[in-house]
Amino acid sequence: MADEHVEEFDSRDLAQMRKKIASWFRNAQRDLPWRVERNAYRVWVSEIMLQQTTVQAVVPYFERFMKQFPTVEALAESEEADVLRLWEGLGYYSRARNLRTGAIQVCEQFNGQVPKQVDQLLEIKGIGRYTAGAIASFAYNQPAPILEANTLRLFVRLLAYDGDPKSAAGQRQLWALAERFASCRNPAKVNEALMELGALVCRVSAPQCDACPLKSSCRAFLSGRQEELPVLQKRIAVTRVVDACVAIQRKNKWLVRQRTSEERWAGMWDFPRFSVESVDHDGKLTPAISRRLHEEVRQTLLRDWNVTAEIHDDLMEVRHTVTRYRIRLLALIANWQEGSPSDGEIRWVTTQQLAELPLSVTARRIADWLHERHTS
DNA sequence: AATCCGGGGGA
DNA sequence: TCCCCAGGATT
């Protein structure tokens, strides 16, 4: 049973398939900013941003990032907070911190040149098997394999692989096929064409098999199973929680804290925030519940934050999801009376200064709300 | 092998 | 609502 799928294609099949997708790619490829102007640094930055993130979401972030940090050296000399500010809203913020660390690594270990060997690329923080193969092949035309969301779906369908493609056995076979595809004279074009075909034609839902240059080789299409594959595991169920967040005012400044490396949104700034038990998940904020909320926030601020504050009635609600949590966030405004948090880094900042700090997405919404209240 | 890490868009 | 996205690091 081992590897029987990969042997579906012999070397002649593969040569034909490469030729077909390369031809298709010439006409169908999108003009993406990291393709129009290409160097190893731009490929690297784009690949990191694109991890688990759609092309559409990345494009504006990539443009801004390259404007501010056009070279590896510029990024290596940056402040982490400035990189995080540019990353704000994109998610998976460890990518930003690792990318900056990686830039320093490249300057110190590799003389400022992004390496072209996969094993050297793998030494760089934040670069794994896929990204190493992507940089090596796209930027240097090295025959390095890639396997990611688009090519995984494409390969699973080509092979009609009906096991779990994320399992060890599945990964081994799919990487083996990727390796064979990339073993050619033009791996940059072949790899990119495979990805683009997966993205534009071999889509998750409603794949455009009629327009696919590989349909005559696709076992899923030939057996009518393209909509059923790949077979992926179910996701972890979401948990609903209610959080509270307090914007504490002292004259014209607001209390913010930097989230620690142990927390979510590490390195980003946030208003004091914590889980509240006294509010029902979906209940409306009746006056009684609102009083309970005020009381719990007041007590928590005193107990866990060493701050006494007078809480106002102003309240805004933000709903968001993060990983497996669906969060209902209730943001309150309070007047500082005394005390100061002893945990982590604290700053008192104006709404103007908030604009320059990297904030959690919810904190940004609240900051905008404060700014609007203040100026109206 | 499982789990964590985000946020947005499409169906 | 649910599902997915040019994955990697940690446990």
Side-chain angles (χ1 to χ4, degrees), chain A residues 215-366:
Chain A
K215 61 183 171 189
S216 65
S217 306
C218 180
R219 289 196 59 190
F221 175 66
L222 293 173
S223 58
R225 286 183 289 165
Q226 64 270 26
E227 302 269 13
E228 305 163 22
L229 298 173
V231 181
L232 293 174
Q233 285 186 327
K234 279 193 175 177
R235 310 242 150 180
I236 300 169
V238 303
T239 305
R240 290 171 167 72
V241 298
V242 180
D243 283 358
C245 189
V246 197
I248 302 171
Q249 186 171 24
R250 180 183 183 180
K251 298 191 177 173
N252 66 333
K253 293 190 172 180
W254 304 89
L255 174 64
V256 291
R257 63 177 287 266
Q258 190 172 29
R259 301 182 66 93
T260 70
S261 56
E262 318 299 317
E263 295 176 291
R264 240 197 303 272
W265 305 302
M268 315 287 285
W269 292 79
D270 204 359
F271 297 100
R273 173 176 174 152
F274 38 87
S275 174
V276 289
E277 318 291 342
S278 67
V279 178
D280 292 340
H281 286 333
D282 296 317
K284 286 185 180 170
L285 276 177
T286 63
I289 292 178
S290 187
R291 272 196 302 279
R292 224 183 306 147
L293 174 65
H294 281 214
E295 185 55 18
E296 178 154 352
V297 168
R298 195 184 63 77
Q299 288 181 6
T300 304
L301 277 180
L302 185 56
R303 172 170 30 90
D304 296 342
W305 298 77
N306 189 33
V307 167
T308 37
E310 177 197 3
I311 297 165
H312 297 190
D313 285 331
D314 300 83
L315 184 146
M316 87 173 280
E317 183 172 341
V318 180
R319 290 171 192 269
H320 68 118
T321 60
V322 41
T323 318
R324 45 180 287 211
Y325 299 99
R326 186 181 312 287
I327 302 173
R328 181 174 175 221
L329 176 67
L330 303 169
L332 300 162
I333 294 180
N335 265 341
W336 178 83
Q337 291 175 320
E338 61 178 325
S340 178
S342 50
D343 165 62
E345 190 179 347
I346 302 299
R347 283 189 198 168
W348 292 96
V349 296
T350 63
T351 56
Q352 284 79 11
Q353 291 171 315
L354 283 172
E356 298 165 18
L357 287 177
L359 299 184
S360 71
V361 166
T362 51
R364 177 64 64 201
R365 305 250 291 264
I366 293 162

Side-chain angles (χ1 to χ4, degrees), chain A residues 47-48 51 116-138 142-149 151-152 155 165-180 182 191 195:
Chain A
E47 291 303 336
I48 299 298
Q51 288 170 5
K116 71 172 68 165
Q117 302 296 336
V118 167
D119 56 351
Q120 291 186 324
L121 288 163
L122 286 170
E123 295 175 22
I124 298 169
K125 199 76 174 166
I127 295 183
R129 192 175 179 183
Y130 161 71
T131 304
I135 296 172
S137 62
F138 298 161
Q142 298 277 106
I146 56 164
L147 183 67
E148 42 70 68
T151 60
L152 181 142
F155 292 168
K166 302 295 181 100
S167 69
Q171 288 286 299
R172 183 167 43 76
Q173 297 185 54
L174 295 168
W175 275 104
L177 182 55
E179 179 86 52
R180 299 185 65 206
N191 279 347
M195 288 178 64

Side-chain angles (χ1 to χ4, degrees), chain A residues 145-215:
Chain A
I146 56 164
L147 183 67
E148 42 70 68
N150 296 302
T151 60
L152 181 142
R153 186 172 55 252
L154 176 65
F155 292 168
V156 163
R157 285 173 175 162
L158 284 177
L159 300 170
Y161 183 80
D162 54 9
D164 176 2
K166 302 295 181 100
S167 69
Q171 288 286 299
R172 183 167 43 76
Q173 297 185 54
L174 295 168
W175 275 104
L177 182 55
E179 179 86 52
R180 299 185 65 206
F181 263 112
S183 299
C184 64
R185 292 177 311 282
N186 53 342
K189 177 150 293 187
V190 168
N191 279 347
E192 216 171 1
L194 287 167
M195 288 178 64
E196 195 78 333
L197 187 62
L200 300 181
V201 175
C202 196
R203 307 186 304 213
V204 178
S205 63
Q208 310 290 87
C209 297
D210 290 340
C212 181
L214 301 184
K215 61 183 171 189

